[in-house]
Amino acid sequence: MITKEIRRKLNIREGDPLELFVGEDFVALKRYNPAKSVRSSLSALNDAVMDEPLLKNKDALIEKIREMSELLESSGGGAE
């Protein structure tokens, strides 16, 4: 549980997804950004499509990946 005081100070709302990192002598919390994971997946997919020489409809696939990336950006999912 994170105290109300800390949530207010860090602008974290109850129920916001967080990542927890545990080091040897520290614990860190970071807001979880699912859009970052999606952007990373789209980038990897784009690279895989570009690197596949025998793939049919390569141009159409690349266009769809670009459209998904633009949709993510326009929906506010592009911000870190």
Side-chain angles (χ1 to χ4, degrees), residues 22-77:
V22 180
E24 190 171 313
D25 59 350
F26 71 92
V27 174
L29 293 172
K30 181 180 177 184
R31 275 193 190 88
Y32 173 67
N33 183 351
K36 183 177 179 181
S37 187
V38 173
R39 279 194 312 273
S40 177
S41 295
L42 286 172
S43 178
L45 179 59
N46 189 69
D47 291 347
V49 168
M50 294 291 288
D51 291 344
E52 181 53 55
L54 302 177
L55 189 63
K56 294 180 181 180
N57 300 320
K58 184 185 285 194
D59 291 338
L61 287 170
I62 291 170
E63 177 62 20
K64 291 298 180 189
I65 294 167
R66 185 190 61 75
E67 289 174 11
M68 287 186 285
S69 296
E70 288 177 358
L71 181 60
L72 182 64
E73 295 295 323
S74 69
S75 68

